[in-house]
Structure formats: C-alpha cells, structure tokens
Amino acid sequence: MNSLQQDPSPILEFRDLNVWFEGRHRFAHVVKDVNFSIRPGELMGLVGESGSGKTTTILAAMGLLPAAARVSGEILLGGRNILAYGPGSVAQHRWKDIAMVFQGAMNALNPVKSISWQIGEAIRAHTSLRGEDIRRRTAELLDLVGISPASGKNYPHQFSGGMRQRAVMAMALACNPRILLADEPTTALDVIVQDQILKLLARLAGELRLAVVMVTHDLGVVGAVCQRAAVMRHGAIVEQAAVPILFSQPRHSYTRELFSAIPSLSAAAETRPPPPEDHAPLLEARDVSVVYQRTVSPGDLFRRRQPQPMAAVNNVSLAVGYGELVALVGQSGSGKTTTLQAVLGMVPVIQGSVRIGQMETTALNARAWRPLRRRVQMIYQDPYESLDSRYRVKDIIEEPLLIHGIGATARERLAMIEDVLKRTSLTPAEDFLYRYPHELSGGQRQRVAIAASLILKPELLLADEPVSMLDVSVRTGILALLDDLRRTERMGILMITHDLSTAAKYADRILVMHEGRIVEAGPTREVILSPRADYTRRLLACIPDIARPIHAI
Amino acid sequence: MNEMTTSQPPAEVQAGYGFWATMAEAFREPGAMVGLTIVAFITIITLASGFLEPYPLREASCPVFAPPSLHHWFGCDDGGIDVFSLVLHGGRISLLVGTCSAVIAIGLGGAIGIVSGYFGGWTDVILMRITDYFLVVPQIPLMIVIAAVWGASISHVILTIGILMWTSTARLVRSQVMSLKERSYVRRVESLGAGHTRIIFHHILPQLGPLLVANTVLAITVAIFNETALSFLGLSDPDAITWGSIMTHAFNRAAISSGAWWAIVPAGMAVALITTGGYLIGRAIEDALNPRLRISYLSPREWKLLPTAQPRKGANG
C-alpha cells in the first residue's frame, strides 16, 4: 500500500520557491522558500488559511501566475528544472505532465454544451486525437472518474455538484498527466459528496500512479486521504511530515493551534453533559412550513394554471429554551437558513405557529415585528458581507440603538458601545471604535457583528453558520464567545452549521435537517453516539477522520 | 485572541471603499485628470465670461466675416461681432441647460430606480412600463411639438431634455438597488428592525453615490450635446446665445459658402471638448467602481523569473 518505499525518486520537487507580487509601491512576498517534493502515487496535502500562499505555490508549477508575479527558485519535474527558462519552459508541461483542478471549476463549465463535448474539447486542444478516437477517449475518462459514459451527453445543470467535480477531474486527466494539482477540490461540496470525491482521488493516485497535491484548509480532509502534509502560514511551510506523525505529534505551535480548532466528534459528544431539563421555552415553532411561490409566467396565464409552489420547509417543529444552544445541522439546500428566516419573520410562514416568549409571530406584519426585533437577533454567515463597508465600528454598533430609540444622549450610547465591545473581547475599545470593517480581520468583523446584536440585549440569538467563512484558527474564539453568552446572559441560541463536530462540541441539542424536514432531534450525546435516522448515520460516516484513512480501505 | 494577529487582509484589499476612495481611485487615471482639466477650464472661463469678453455682444466691433487676427482671435461673424466673445458667452447657457437637465434626469431616474428596485413587485412593473414608454419617445419631434405649443424657450429645452434622459439612469439604478438590497448587510440592518426609509437613505443611497456622480457627469455632456442639436435646429430660445445658436446663425448667414469657417468651428470645438472631458471623467469613475473592467485576463504579459533571490524594491513586505 505504501508507495513511499517502492518508488523513492520524487516526480515533482519544489526547491526554494519564492514568489513576489509587484504592487504599486512594493513587492509582496507571498511564497517564501518553499521546499517539498512528491512521489508518484502519493497524495500530499498543502494546508493553510486563506492568504497563506498555498494556491500561488501550485499555480507556479502550472506557470499560470499573473503578470505581476516575480518567481525565483526551482521546480523539478522528474529531475529537470522546468522553471529554468521562465514562462515558456513551464508552459510545455502544463496539462501534459502537470494538470490542475481549479477551485470552483465545477461551477465554470459551459452551460450550453454537454459534458462529453467539453471533455472532448480539452482532448482536441491538447492531443492529436480526432473524430472517433476522441469519443473513445472521452468515454474512457468518464469511466475513470466514475461517471457512466452514457450520461456524458447530459448538460452541466443536470449533474450534481459531485458529478461536475468528477467531470472537471476527467478533463484534467485528458493528457495522462503524471501530477494532479487539486485546489480545494471538496470545499463547496457536502460531506457525503466530499467523501466520494476523496475516495476517487485516492483511487486515481493508486491506479494511475498519479502524484496528487491537494490544497485545502481542512485538516480533516488531509488526515483522511493524504500520506504526507505540509502546513503553510504567511507564505512559508512551517511544518511538513507524514500524516500520522503530523497528527499525533504536531511540533509547530501553529499546527497545534489548527488542531485545537477541529474538535474530534466522538470525544466532544462524550464529554457533553446531558442538557438540563428545566429550560423555560423561549422559542417554540410548531409544524412550520414555508413555500417559495413562483411568479406567474405568461405561459401560466395562457394555460390558465397556477404555478406549483416549492416547499422549502416542511412541518418543522423546534424549541429553544433560555440559556440553551441548539444546533441545526444539514446539507446545503436542506432548508436550514429558510427555517431561521421564518423564525425571524423575514419569509412568510404558510402554516404552523412560531412563538417567541409566548408571543405568536406568524401573523405579525413588518411594523408590528419591529419592537420584537430587539429580542431576536441574527448573526450572519459572512462577516465580510454583513457589515456596511462605509460605517465605522462605532456607527455599526450604534445603529441598532438609534433604530430602537435607546439611549438619550450620544455619551450614554457611547458608554453602551464600549461596554459591548469589551464583552466581545474587542479591547481596548478605543482602538476599534473608529475603524472601518476592512481594517479588521474576519474574526474581528464577526465579533463586531455579534456586538451590534448584543447591544440590544436580545433573548434569542439566531446564528447562520457564524464561523464557516472564517479561518480555522479564529473559529474557536467566536464559538467560545457564543457559548459564554448563553451561560452568562441566559441567551437562547439557535445555530446553523454544516459541521457536525462543531455542533457536537457546543450544542446542548442537535436537530438534523434533510430535504426540508427535521429527520432527527435529540440531545447531542444521543444524536452523535447513537443516531436513529439513516440520514444521520450516513452523515456521520462521511465525516473525514484520521482514524479511518481512505487510502487504507 | 489569536485573531488579532492572524489573517490581516492583504494590502491590496485595503484600498477602495466608500465614496472618496472611489473618487481618488478614479482620478489616479491620467485620462480622468485630462478630462477634469478640460471641464474645469471651460467652466471657469465661461463663468468668468463677463470679465473676459473683449468685445460687446450686441454691436459690431469689426468687419463682416473678418478672419481671425491678433485683435479678434476667432474672427468675426456676419454682424461683425467678435466670435471669441460669443463662444465664451454661449458656454453659459449651454452649461446651465446641461447641468439643470442632468440634475432633473438623475434626480428623477435615481428616485424611480430606487423605488422600483427596492420595493419590486407591482411598483416595479408599473414604474418600469412608464420608463419603457419614455424610452421610445423621440426627442426632436417632441421638442418641435413643445416649441409649437408653448413656444421655444430655455426652460422648455431643459425640461424636455431632463424628462427624456432619465430612463437609462432609472434602469441602471434599479438593477444596482436590486442587487444591493439582497446583500447581507442590508438584510442584517433589516433584521435589526430598521424601516425602509432608513435602509434606503443610510445604506443604499450612499452606495450608489459614485455611480450617480459618474452618471451625472455623463448626463451633463449628453445634455449639452442635445441642447446644441436642438438650438441648431432652431428649437431653442431664438434670442439666447448658445453654442448651438451661434452655429445655426452662422450657418443661416452662409458662413460656409463665404469661407468663414471661423464662425462655426470654435463653438463646435467647445462642444466637442466639453463632451470629451465629461466622458473621460465619467468613464474613469465607472472603471474605479468596477475594477474588473480594467484587468485583462488575456494579457500578453507574463510573469517573470528572477535570477537572484530578492527583487530590487526591497522585498520583505
């Protein structure tokens, strides 16, 4: 199984690779003295946060850096330095020896051409095959990535995300490359699909003796599928080792920090105390359904029919008590966010009841909702998007006070703002008051968004994937802040997450949602350790785990 | 606390937020500076024309169609009036008409666009059908009708141009507002309990600022151009001196056939100059709003290999 002993000579080697980007005033050093190598049949993980230079590193091997880039060092392909003569000498090997699956490429397929046609186009562009040979090769490639050749005549929109990712991989393999560079190949995919793609990558590495460099921010993925991994930070590799060693004895403090941010699922669930029973109900939703009404098209008018509404949420019941943290888990498109929007009164509920602190909210109109908004606050997923870029921190946090007419004088409001900044650990407050969102890091922005919600002293906090857009190392801080709030302020929190291990570590109870319904609900311990619904079991089985490496299967 | 030290956004991202940043970005472009210089120069000399005009406008100061000379830089027209003084003075009305009708057009278009995009539904349908209606009204026949019914005057020209020009602004603003109101910062403010007025005036309108400025500048140039066209056709106030009426007078008095090009060309050049200047400014602001327009992904330039380890400007950034 272990290819390292069989073939010791590396196929691709980075030696002292440096990349600078020429800016208006200075050079930004984005890749610093990167050294690593990879052997045929090996899967290597390149891990790091956004902006750590991992994508730039592999783009250098493709020769696809932007014009502002300045490169030094060597990239050896089978012992020959392909960087020796600049862009031209790298271009010869692009696709033929080194191929790449770009981040999000599966969403960039041409929507008006069939999958087979698009793979055929790649073959036509890079090989001398023509006519019938192209068709045969396309079928072969589709078969290789686990798509039946017959379904190649389908169009991208008829394929699921996982299928499109497979098709993009088939395209990259068109010229029989020896090295495949995959940039975040599973990031936008759900756990179940992610699991399939990882298995495919492991299989390709084994069958084709393909060397795979996988760029990812997810240590779990690396642990499940890679043999070796390198951890990058600020453009430099801080640590590289075989995966079992890296995971069991991380040496660099940054690596340890990354690991502490990914709680182990079963360990987290086991240490979770059973939820206290005496929670007074704060939010109670009973049999809530939400449909998205399609607009009447001219065709509908002509045929005298009503358009079929789309059910997004179907008979969902849930409850959150004071001081309780409930996690809503499920794949994208399962109706989690719509459920939250319905609780918040931002989408109309067609059936069922939502009670917030004994008050029925489904019949309220926008004006009647407004005083209630003080009691229910929402934290949005993307802190880069959810703050108005023209507002200073002080104005962002002051705005809810102005809206609800709290605090008579500016001085009084300022005192409240400073207090809430302290509670969200944005200290010293004076440093943050007059800064703009773009001057803050992602974690700080999310804290500002939370502060702007907290200042209204809400009873119920709705959080829509509050950490999914943040780098791994800052997630723990935000989640710990939420956890602290519900303990000290007795706030009820309903948190959406797609990450079961986060839910296991912080939630009292977990609700699993699938296709608009809640398929399982219960205390964290029970849901994680003895799931009853089939769907929950599948979800749990697909979470990448170092203890169950895919390449060993 | 570790987020205090990690993941600071890269320096490139930090520039370019807000109204003034966008404007600063726009005027970094050399074209925009050229445009600004032209527009500022013309605006200043026309506004100061009362002091600058070397000769009176109502009485002859030189022979009929006298060619340009040291005393009469642009020569003289059919009545023996100095063309340089006429062009300086004519700019006043042209700029006034241009600015007023552009303000009407942007105000109307902006308001309709915001209401239509923000509220959507039937409001949107009705307002957009009205917009479509105005979009197809031809300007010159309408002006002829108005001139015939109410008489030709400057205020009618301003109204006509303003009322016909707002449609494209309305559509542009509507599409911007529709995407802005779905942005999560607007959703967040809405869930805080803010009313429509607050959202529109505090969160949507300021984001549209640079776009509206760019549009206003472009609209002014188009309005000046239209005003010139209308007065050249004799549909403007016959007594007012504008660049259009200077040209139409000279044209009617056979300036061309008598070889007196100087009676027509300076006014035409003035229109061409201010239109070019306004266009350069407007485009630069639009580019700054959407930097992607400037990046060329098919650039023939490539990255470079450095023989040594350190680039020259000092690399430890």
Side-chain angles (χ1 to χ4, degrees), chain A residues 114-124 129-153 159 166-167 169-171 173-174 176 200 203-204 207:
Chain A
S114 72
I115 296 288
S116 285
W117 189 92
Q118 297 189 51
I119 296 173
E121 188 189 30
I123 299 170
R124 212 170 3 253
L129 297 182
R130 288 296 173 266
E132 186 60 23
D133 289 342
I134 291 185
R135 261 200 39 217
R136 204 172 308 120
R137 177 75 181 135
T138 305
E140 208 176 287
L141 285 168
L142 283 173
D143 191 48
L144 188 66
V145 296
I147 300 176
S148 82
S151 61
K153 65 178 189 297
F159 271 29
R166 284 164 194 264
M169 284 162 68
M171 260 183 232
L173 296 174
N176 279 319
L200 172 65
R203 184 166 63 79
L204 290 175
E207 276 178 18

Short mmCIF file of all heavy atoms in Angstrom, two decimals, chain A residues 114-124 129-153 159 166-167 169-171 173-174 176 200 203-204 207:
data_model
loop_
_atom_site.label_atom_id
_atom_site.label_comp_id
_atom_site.label_asym_id
_atom_site.label_seq_id
_atom_site.Cartn_x
_atom_site.Cartn_y
_atom_site.Cartn_z
N SER A 114 -22.67 19.83 -23.79
CA SER A 114 -22.76 18.63 -22.98
C SER A 114 -21.40 18.35 -22.33
O SER A 114 -20.37 18.84 -22.79
CB SER A 114 -23.18 17.44 -23.82
OG SER A 114 -22.12 17.06 -24.66
N ILE A 115 -21.43 17.55 -21.27
CA ILE A 115 -20.20 17.22 -20.55
C ILE A 115 -19.21 16.53 -21.49
O ILE A 115 -18.03 16.88 -21.53
CB ILE A 115 -20.53 16.31 -19.34
CG1 ILE A 115 -21.41 17.05 -18.32
CG2 ILE A 115 -19.28 15.76 -18.70
CD1 ILE A 115 -20.70 18.11 -17.55
N SER A 116 -19.71 15.56 -22.28
CA SER A 116 -18.81 14.86 -23.20
C SER A 116 -18.15 15.83 -24.17
O SER A 116 -16.96 15.73 -24.45
CB SER A 116 -19.59 13.83 -24.01
OG SER A 116 -19.89 12.73 -23.21
N TRP A 117 -18.94 16.76 -24.69
CA TRP A 117 -18.39 17.72 -25.65
C TRP A 117 -17.25 18.51 -25.01
O TRP A 117 -16.22 18.74 -25.63
CB TRP A 117 -19.49 18.67 -26.12
CG TRP A 117 -19.06 19.55 -27.25
CD1 TRP A 117 -19.21 19.30 -28.59
CD2 TRP A 117 -18.39 20.82 -27.14
NE1 TRP A 117 -18.67 20.32 -29.32
CE2 TRP A 117 -18.16 21.27 -28.47
CE3 TRP A 117 -17.96 21.60 -26.08
CZ2 TRP A 117 -17.53 22.47 -28.74
CZ3 TRP A 117 -17.32 22.80 -26.35
CH2 TRP A 117 -17.11 23.23 -27.67
N GLN A 118 -17.47 18.90 -23.74
CA GLN A 118 -16.46 19.74 -23.09
C GLN A 118 -15.19 18.96 -22.79
O GLN A 118 -14.09 19.50 -22.89
CB GLN A 118 -17.04 20.36 -21.82
CG GLN A 118 -18.21 21.27 -22.14
CD GLN A 118 -18.68 22.09 -20.95
OE1 GLN A 118 -17.90 22.73 -20.28
NE2 GLN A 118 -19.97 22.05 -20.69
N ILE A 119 -15.34 17.69 -22.45
CA ILE A 119 -14.14 16.88 -22.23
C ILE A 119 -13.44 16.65 -23.57
O ILE A 119 -12.22 16.75 -23.69
CB ILE A 119 -14.50 15.54 -21.55
CG1 ILE A 119 -15.07 15.83 -20.15
CG2 ILE A 119 -13.29 14.64 -21.44
CD1 ILE A 119 -15.62 14.62 -19.45
N GLY A 120 -14.25 16.39 -24.62
CA GLY A 120 -13.70 16.21 -25.97
C GLY A 120 -12.93 17.44 -26.42
O GLY A 120 -11.87 17.33 -27.05
N GLU A 121 -13.44 18.60 -26.06
CA GLU A 121 -12.78 19.85 -26.44
C GLU A 121 -11.38 19.92 -25.82
O GLU A 121 -10.41 20.32 -26.47
CB GLU A 121 -13.62 21.04 -25.98
CG GLU A 121 -13.12 22.36 -26.48
CD GLU A 121 -13.84 23.53 -25.84
OE1 GLU A 121 -14.28 23.40 -24.67
OE2 GLU A 121 -13.96 24.56 -26.51
N ALA A 122 -11.29 19.51 -24.55
CA ALA A 122 -9.99 19.51 -23.88
C ALA A 122 -9.03 18.57 -24.59
O ALA A 122 -7.85 18.87 -24.77
CB ALA A 122 -10.16 19.12 -22.42
N ILE A 123 -9.56 17.40 -25.01
CA ILE A 123 -8.70 16.43 -25.70
C ILE A 123 -8.24 17.00 -27.05
O ILE A 123 -7.06 16.92 -27.42
CB ILE A 123 -9.46 15.10 -25.93
CG1 ILE A 123 -9.87 14.51 -24.58
CG2 ILE A 123 -8.61 14.12 -26.71
CD1 ILE A 123 -10.81 13.33 -24.69
N ARG A 124 -9.20 17.61 -27.78
CA ARG A 124 -8.89 18.18 -29.08
C ARG A 124 -7.81 19.25 -28.97
O ARG A 124 -6.92 19.35 -29.79
CB ARG A 124 -10.16 18.78 -29.70
CG ARG A 124 -10.20 18.69 -31.19
CD ARG A 124 -11.55 19.06 -31.81
NE ARG A 124 -12.56 19.50 -30.88
CZ ARG A 124 -13.63 18.77 -30.53
NH1 ARG A 124 -13.80 17.57 -31.02
NH2 ARG A 124 -14.51 19.24 -29.69
N LEU A 129 -5.47 13.44 -31.15
CA LEU A 129 -6.62 12.56 -31.40
C LEU A 129 -7.71 13.34 -32.14
O LEU A 129 -7.93 14.51 -31.89
CB LEU A 129 -7.19 12.03 -30.09
CG LEU A 129 -6.30 11.14 -29.23
CD1 LEU A 129 -7.05 10.68 -28.01
CD2 LEU A 129 -5.85 9.93 -30.05
N ARG A 130 -8.41 12.66 -33.04
CA ARG A 130 -9.52 13.28 -33.76
C ARG A 130 -10.67 12.28 -33.91
O ARG A 130 -10.46 11.08 -33.81
CB ARG A 130 -9.07 13.75 -35.16
CG ARG A 130 -8.16 14.98 -35.17
CD ARG A 130 -8.87 16.21 -34.63
NE ARG A 130 -7.97 17.36 -34.48
CZ ARG A 130 -7.34 17.68 -33.36
NH1 ARG A 130 -7.46 16.93 -32.27
NH2 ARG A 130 -6.54 18.74 -33.31
N GLY A 131 -11.84 12.81 -34.18
CA GLY A 131 -13.01 12.01 -34.53
C GLY A 131 -13.36 10.92 -33.52
O GLY A 131 -13.51 11.19 -32.34
N GLU A 132 -13.45 9.69 -34.02
CA GLU A 132 -13.87 8.56 -33.20
C GLU A 132 -12.95 8.37 -31.99
O GLU A 132 -13.40 8.01 -30.91
CB GLU A 132 -13.89 7.29 -34.08
CG GLU A 132 -14.44 6.06 -33.41
CD GLU A 132 -15.89 6.25 -32.94
OE1 GLU A 132 -16.60 7.13 -33.48
OE2 GLU A 132 -16.29 5.52 -32.02
N ASP A 133 -11.65 8.64 -32.18
CA ASP A 133 -10.70 8.47 -31.09
C ASP A 133 -11.04 9.37 -29.90
O ASP A 133 -10.88 8.97 -28.75
CB ASP A 133 -9.27 8.82 -31.57
CG ASP A 133 -8.76 7.75 -32.53
OD1 ASP A 133 -9.34 6.64 -32.53
OD2 ASP A 133 -7.81 8.04 -33.26
N ILE A 134 -11.51 10.58 -30.22
CA ILE A 134 -11.89 11.49 -29.14
C ILE A 134 -13.03 10.91 -28.34
O ILE A 134 -13.03 10.92 -27.12
CB ILE A 134 -12.25 12.88 -29.70
CG1 ILE A 134 -11.00 13.56 -30.25
CG2 ILE A 134 -12.90 13.74 -28.64
CD1 ILE A 134 -11.21 14.97 -30.71
N ARG A 135 -14.01 10.36 -29.06
CA ARG A 135 -15.17 9.81 -28.37
C ARG A 135 -14.76 8.66 -27.46
O ARG A 135 -15.23 8.54 -26.34
CB ARG A 135 -16.21 9.32 -29.39
CG ARG A 135 -17.33 10.35 -29.58
CD ARG A 135 -18.54 9.69 -30.19
NE ARG A 135 -18.76 8.35 -29.64
CZ ARG A 135 -19.21 7.31 -30.33
NH1 ARG A 135 -19.49 7.46 -31.60
NH2 ARG A 135 -19.40 6.13 -29.77
N ARG A 136 -13.87 7.82 -28.00
CA ARG A 136 -13.44 6.67 -27.21
C ARG A 136 -12.70 7.15 -25.96
O ARG A 136 -12.93 6.67 -24.86
CB ARG A 136 -12.54 5.77 -28.06
CG ARG A 136 -12.55 4.33 -27.55
CD ARG A 136 -11.81 3.38 -28.48
NE ARG A 136 -12.25 3.46 -29.86
CZ ARG A 136 -11.45 3.78 -30.89
NH1 ARG A 136 -10.18 4.07 -30.67
NH2 ARG A 136 -11.92 3.82 -32.11
N ARG A 137 -11.82 8.13 -26.14
CA ARG A 137 -11.03 8.63 -25.02
C ARG A 137 -11.93 9.32 -23.97
O ARG A 137 -11.72 9.15 -22.78
CB ARG A 137 -9.98 9.62 -25.56
CG ARG A 137 -9.13 10.29 -24.52
CD ARG A 137 -8.07 9.36 -23.96
NE ARG A 137 -7.28 10.04 -22.94
CZ ARG A 137 -6.95 9.51 -21.76
NH1 ARG A 137 -7.34 8.28 -21.47
NH2 ARG A 137 -6.24 10.17 -20.90
N THR A 138 -12.94 10.05 -24.45
CA THR A 138 -13.87 10.71 -23.53
C THR A 138 -14.59 9.68 -22.67
O THR A 138 -14.68 9.82 -21.44
CB THR A 138 -14.91 11.52 -24.33
OG1 THR A 138 -14.23 12.42 -25.18
CG2 THR A 138 -15.81 12.31 -23.40
N ALA A 139 -15.05 8.60 -23.31
CA ALA A 139 -15.75 7.55 -22.59
C ALA A 139 -14.83 6.94 -21.54
O ALA A 139 -15.23 6.68 -20.40
CB ALA A 139 -16.25 6.48 -23.57
N GLU A 140 -13.57 6.73 -21.96
CA GLU A 140 -12.59 6.14 -21.07
C GLU A 140 -12.39 7.02 -19.83
O GLU A 140 -12.36 6.54 -18.69
CB GLU A 140 -11.28 6.08 -21.87
CG GLU A 140 -10.30 5.02 -21.52
CD GLU A 140 -9.15 5.11 -22.52
OE1 GLU A 140 -9.35 4.72 -23.69
OE2 GLU A 140 -8.07 5.62 -22.14
N LEU A 141 -12.26 8.34 -20.08
CA LEU A 141 -12.02 9.29 -18.99
C LEU A 141 -13.22 9.34 -18.04
O LEU A 141 -13.05 9.34 -16.83
CB LEU A 141 -11.74 10.68 -19.54
CG LEU A 141 -10.36 10.90 -20.16
CD1 LEU A 141 -10.33 12.21 -20.91
CD2 LEU A 141 -9.28 10.89 -19.08
N LEU A 142 -14.43 9.36 -18.62
CA LEU A 142 -15.63 9.42 -17.78
C LEU A 142 -15.70 8.18 -16.91
O LEU A 142 -15.99 8.24 -15.72
CB LEU A 142 -16.88 9.52 -18.66
CG LEU A 142 -17.15 10.91 -19.26
CD1 LEU A 142 -18.31 10.83 -20.24
CD2 LEU A 142 -17.46 11.91 -18.16
N ASP A 143 -15.38 7.03 -17.52
CA ASP A 143 -15.40 5.78 -16.78
C ASP A 143 -14.39 5.85 -15.63
O ASP A 143 -14.66 5.41 -14.51
CB ASP A 143 -15.06 4.64 -17.74
CG ASP A 143 -15.33 3.30 -17.10
OD1 ASP A 143 -16.43 3.14 -16.54
OD2 ASP A 143 -14.44 2.43 -17.15
N LEU A 144 -13.24 6.43 -15.92
CA LEU A 144 -12.17 6.52 -14.93
C LEU A 144 -12.61 7.29 -13.68
O LEU A 144 -12.25 6.95 -12.57
CB LEU A 144 -10.97 7.21 -15.58
CG LEU A 144 -9.66 7.26 -14.80
CD1 LEU A 144 -9.12 5.85 -14.63
CD2 LEU A 144 -8.65 8.12 -15.53
N VAL A 145 -13.40 8.36 -13.90
CA VAL A 145 -13.80 9.17 -12.74
C VAL A 145 -15.16 8.73 -12.20
O VAL A 145 -15.73 9.40 -11.35
CB VAL A 145 -13.84 10.67 -13.08
CG1 VAL A 145 -12.46 11.17 -13.42
CG2 VAL A 145 -14.82 10.96 -14.19
N GLY A 146 -15.67 7.61 -12.69
CA GLY A 146 -16.88 7.06 -12.12
C GLY A 146 -18.17 7.67 -12.61
O GLY A 146 -19.16 7.71 -11.89
N ILE A 147 -18.15 8.17 -13.87
CA ILE A 147 -19.40 8.61 -14.48
C ILE A 147 -19.67 7.65 -15.62
O ILE A 147 -18.76 7.35 -16.39
CB ILE A 147 -19.28 10.05 -15.05
CG1 ILE A 147 -18.93 11.04 -13.96
CG2 ILE A 147 -20.58 10.47 -15.74
CD1 ILE A 147 -18.71 12.45 -14.47
N SER A 148 -20.92 7.16 -15.74
CA SER A 148 -21.16 6.24 -16.84
C SER A 148 -21.08 7.01 -18.14
O SER A 148 -21.66 8.08 -18.25
CB SER A 148 -22.52 5.57 -16.68
OG SER A 148 -23.51 6.43 -17.18
N PRO A 149 -20.31 6.50 -19.14
CA PRO A 149 -20.09 7.25 -20.38
C PRO A 149 -21.40 7.69 -21.04
O PRO A 149 -21.44 8.72 -21.71
CB PRO A 149 -19.33 6.25 -21.26
CG PRO A 149 -18.64 5.37 -20.29
CD PRO A 149 -19.54 5.26 -19.10
N ALA A 150 -22.47 6.92 -20.84
CA ALA A 150 -23.75 7.29 -21.47
C ALA A 150 -24.27 8.62 -20.93
O ALA A 150 -24.87 9.41 -21.66
CB ALA A 150 -24.77 6.19 -21.24
N SER A 151 -24.02 8.90 -19.65
CA SER A 151 -24.58 10.13 -19.09
C SER A 151 -23.74 11.36 -19.45
O SER A 151 -24.07 12.47 -19.06
CB SER A 151 -24.74 10.00 -17.58
OG SER A 151 -23.48 9.79 -16.99
N GLY A 152 -22.66 11.14 -20.22
CA GLY A 152 -21.85 12.27 -20.67
C GLY A 152 -22.59 13.20 -21.59
O GLY A 152 -22.20 14.35 -21.77
N LYS A 153 -23.69 12.70 -22.21
CA LYS A 153 -24.43 13.59 -23.12
C LYS A 153 -25.27 14.60 -22.36
O LYS A 153 -25.87 15.48 -22.95
CB LYS A 153 -25.30 12.77 -24.08
CG LYS A 153 -26.41 11.99 -23.39
CD LYS A 153 -27.24 11.26 -24.43
CE LYS A 153 -28.48 10.65 -23.82
NZ LYS A 153 -28.18 9.61 -22.80
N PHE A 159 -26.23 17.72 -13.83
CA PHE A 159 -25.31 16.99 -12.96
C PHE A 159 -25.33 17.61 -11.57
O PHE A 159 -25.49 18.82 -11.42
CB PHE A 159 -23.89 17.12 -13.52
CG PHE A 159 -23.52 16.03 -14.50
CD1 PHE A 159 -24.47 15.42 -15.28
CD2 PHE A 159 -22.19 15.64 -14.63
CE1 PHE A 159 -24.11 14.43 -16.19
CE2 PHE A 159 -21.83 14.65 -15.53
CZ PHE A 159 -22.79 14.05 -16.31
N ARG A 166 -16.33 15.60 -10.74
CA ARG A 166 -15.73 14.45 -11.41
C ARG A 166 -15.43 14.77 -12.87
O ARG A 166 -14.38 14.41 -13.40
CB ARG A 166 -16.69 13.25 -11.37
CG ARG A 166 -16.74 12.56 -10.03
CD ARG A 166 -17.97 11.67 -9.99
NE ARG A 166 -18.23 11.26 -8.63
CZ ARG A 166 -17.81 10.10 -8.12
NH1 ARG A 166 -17.16 9.26 -8.89
NH2 ARG A 166 -18.06 9.78 -6.88
N ALA A 167 -16.38 15.45 -13.52
CA ALA A 167 -16.19 15.78 -14.94
C ALA A 167 -14.97 16.69 -15.11
O ALA A 167 -14.18 16.51 -16.04
CB ALA A 167 -17.44 16.47 -15.48
N MET A 169 -12.41 16.79 -13.20
CA MET A 169 -11.23 15.98 -13.00
C MET A 169 -10.92 15.15 -14.24
O MET A 169 -9.76 14.97 -14.62
CB MET A 169 -11.40 15.08 -11.77
CG MET A 169 -11.22 15.88 -10.47
SD MET A 169 -11.88 15.10 -9.01
CE MET A 169 -10.79 13.73 -8.85
N ALA A 170 -11.97 14.65 -14.91
CA ALA A 170 -11.77 13.90 -16.15
C ALA A 170 -11.06 14.77 -17.18
O ALA A 170 -10.15 14.33 -17.88
CB ALA A 170 -13.11 13.41 -16.69
N MET A 171 -11.47 16.04 -17.26
CA MET A 171 -10.83 16.97 -18.20
C MET A 171 -9.36 17.13 -17.88
O MET A 171 -8.52 17.14 -18.77
CB MET A 171 -11.49 18.33 -18.07
CG MET A 171 -12.50 18.60 -19.14
SD MET A 171 -13.11 20.26 -18.87
CE MET A 171 -14.81 19.92 -18.87
N LEU A 173 -7.45 15.07 -16.56
CA LEU A 173 -6.69 13.85 -16.82
C LEU A 173 -6.57 13.55 -18.31
O LEU A 173 -5.99 12.54 -18.69
CB LEU A 173 -7.37 12.67 -16.11
CG LEU A 173 -7.39 12.75 -14.59
CD1 LEU A 173 -8.21 11.62 -14.00
CD2 LEU A 173 -5.98 12.73 -14.03
N ALA A 174 -7.12 14.43 -19.16
CA ALA A 174 -7.21 14.15 -20.60
C ALA A 174 -5.86 13.79 -21.21
O ALA A 174 -5.77 12.96 -22.10
CB ALA A 174 -7.83 15.33 -21.32
N ASN A 176 -3.20 12.41 -19.81
CA ASN A 176 -2.41 11.49 -19.00
C ASN A 176 -1.32 12.18 -18.20
O ASN A 176 -0.15 11.85 -18.32
CB ASN A 176 -1.74 10.43 -19.88
CG ASN A 176 -2.71 9.33 -20.23
OD1 ASN A 176 -3.49 8.90 -19.38
ND2 ASN A 176 -2.68 8.90 -21.47
N LEU A 200 -12.33 8.99 -4.73
CA LEU A 200 -11.93 8.97 -6.14
C LEU A 200 -10.48 9.41 -6.28
O LEU A 200 -9.69 8.78 -7.00
CB LEU A 200 -12.86 9.89 -6.94
CG LEU A 200 -12.46 10.13 -8.39
CD1 LEU A 200 -12.53 8.85 -9.20
CD2 LEU A 200 -13.37 11.17 -9.04
N ARG A 203 -8.26 6.70 -5.24
CA ARG A 203 -8.23 5.61 -6.22
C ARG A 203 -7.36 5.99 -7.43
O ARG A 203 -6.56 5.19 -7.91
CB ARG A 203 -9.67 5.30 -6.68
CG ARG A 203 -9.78 4.13 -7.63
CD ARG A 203 -11.21 3.66 -7.76
NE ARG A 203 -12.11 4.66 -8.34
CZ ARG A 203 -12.18 4.93 -9.64
NH1 ARG A 203 -11.42 4.28 -10.49
NH2 ARG A 203 -13.01 5.85 -10.09
N LEU A 204 -7.52 7.23 -7.91
CA LEU A 204 -6.74 7.67 -9.07
C LEU A 204 -5.25 7.63 -8.76
O LEU A 204 -4.44 7.19 -9.59
CB LEU A 204 -7.14 9.09 -9.47
CG LEU A 204 -8.52 9.26 -10.08
CD1 LEU A 204 -8.81 10.73 -10.31
CD2 LEU A 204 -8.63 8.48 -11.39
N GLU A 207 -4.35 3.86 -8.91
CA GLU A 207 -4.47 3.20 -10.21
C GLU A 207 -3.53 3.77 -11.25
O GLU A 207 -2.92 3.06 -12.02
CB GLU A 207 -5.91 3.34 -10.74
CG GLU A 207 -6.86 2.30 -10.21
CD GLU A 207 -8.26 2.53 -10.74
OE1 GLU A 207 -8.42 3.25 -11.75
OE2 GLU A 207 -9.20 1.99 -10.13
#
